[in-house]
Amino acid sequence: MSGAEPFLFPDWPAPAGVHAAMTLRTGGVSAGPYKSLNPALHVGDDVDAVMRNRKFIRESLALPSEPVWLEQIHSNQAVKAAAALMPPQADASYADAPGVVCVVMTADCLPLLLCSADGRRVAAIHAGWRGLLAGVIGNTVAAMEGAELLVWLGPAIGPGAFEVGAEVRAAFVQKSPAFGEAFRPQADAKWLADIYRLARIELNALGVTNIYGGRFCTVTDADRFYSYRRDTVTGRMATLIWRD
């Protein structure tokens, strides 16, 4: 195991009894481009190494149960987290019972953690631009049943690194002109997109204003974060939330 800090803990005023963490790329046993704390089984890493990494995460964070891993498909699907033989195809999960661990995996896409102000409901969202556009945040907020929410935006590709085509900007602006402020023009009809700003605009439109985080860039911080855009073959970070 590496001696570097393996976790990032959200800086947000979550109520007592709500616990959250994000794994970094250090502290595990994976080798090569997956070095070292990769928890993802779908990226080509050695299965034994991944399972050892998951065991390390579970024990280090004293998780109350095995995280409910998802088969993420860049959709708008949010499911209630529950133990299952096969990971559900979804990009968000939520829970209203103690001891259930919601988790998403990312390597440039935006992980969001949600909790209700009373600490009774928690959720985790994987939001790439496709999921954002499709409404994964809105579907998850709806599943929180009108609770007053706190949201943490975890590390994602930063606004200086996320270049997209004009068709991506056009799709967001067609959904709402407000999204236009999250794009800056570049040469060759390209745009720089601020995924943090896109999420904040969406959350604000849903009436959610208690938003924290959103100050990292996975592409430029290679020591701490995996980045698909930077490396293509790489591991994933896991972002987890649960309640007592």
Side-chain angles (χ1 to χ4, degrees), residues 40-105:
L41 287 167
H42 67 287
V43 295
D45 194 4
D46 177 73
V47 171
D48 179 65
V50 172
M51 299 312 292
R52 290 172 65 189
N53 288 338
R54 289 189 177 189
K55 182 174 185 287
F56 171 74
I57 294 166
R58 189 169 60 249
E59 294 178 348
S60 298
L61 295 174
L63 297 180
S65 62
E66 178 68 21
V68 180
W69 304 97
L70 304 175
E71 181 184 344
Q72 298 170 188
I73 53 175
H74 294 276
S75 70
N76 63 3
Q77 297 300 305
V79 297
K80 190 165 188 177
L85 292 177
M86 296 292 292
Q89 288 190 335
D91 288 273
S93 67
Y94 56 92
D96 57 8
V100 179
V101 183
C102 299
V103 61
V104 292
M105 290 187 286

Side-chain angles (χ1 to χ4, degrees), residues 16-233:
V18 171
H19 309 280
M22 181 177 189
T23 64
L24 302 177
R25 67 175 303 170
T26 48
V29 299
S30 292
Y34 310 105
K35 184 180 180 181
S36 65
L37 190 57
N38 169 48
L41 287 167
H42 67 287
V43 295
D45 194 4
D46 177 73
V47 171
D48 179 65
V50 172
M51 299 312 292
R52 290 172 65 189
N53 288 338
R54 289 189 177 189
K55 182 174 185 287
F56 171 74
I57 294 166
R58 189 169 60 249
E59 294 178 348
S60 298
L61 295 174
L63 297 180
S65 62
E66 178 68 21
V68 180
W69 304 97
L70 304 175
E71 181 184 344
Q72 298 170 188
I73 53 175
H74 294 276
S75 70
N76 63 3
Q77 297 300 305
V79 297
K80 190 165 188 177
L85 292 177
M86 296 292 292
Q89 288 190 335
D91 288 273
S93 67
Y94 56 92
D96 57 8
V100 179
V101 183
C102 299
V103 61
V104 292
M105 290 187 286
T106 57
D108 287 335
C109 290
L110 174 64
L112 300 89
L113 296 180
L114 286 66
C115 71
S116 59
D118 63 7
R120 296 181 62 85
R121 297 182 179 91
V122 297
I125 303 173
H126 159 251
W129 72 260
R130 291 176 179 84
L132 270 168
L133 183 63
V136 68
I137 293 177
N139 285 353
T140 310
V141 168
M144 304 293 270
E145 298 182 345
E148 180 184 353
L149 298 177
L150 289 76
V151 179
W152 181 69
L153 308 179
I157 186 170
F162 191 18
E163 189 175 76
V164 300
E167 73 283 356
V168 174
R169 178 185 179 274
F172 274 98
V173 172
Q174 183 176 14
K175 182 178 179 180
S176 171
F179 286 122
E181 66 184 65
F183 295 87
R184 289 189 290 127
Q186 296 293 100
D188 301 323
K190 299 290 187 180
W191 296 80
L192 284 176
D194 185 341
I195 200 167
Y196 294 124
R197 186 71 191 127
L198 289 170
R200 287 177 180 273
I201 291 168
E202 179 78 354
L203 287 163
N204 288 165
L206 294 165
V208 180
T209 57
N210 296 318
I211 307 169
Y212 305 88
R215 295 186 296 272
F216 297 92
C217 179
T218 50
V219 175
T220 58
D221 192 344
D223 290 337
R224 290 195 294 175
F225 304 125
Y226 296 111
S227 169
Y228 180 82
R229 181 161 291 213
R230 183 187 63 233
D231 300 324
T232 307
V233 178

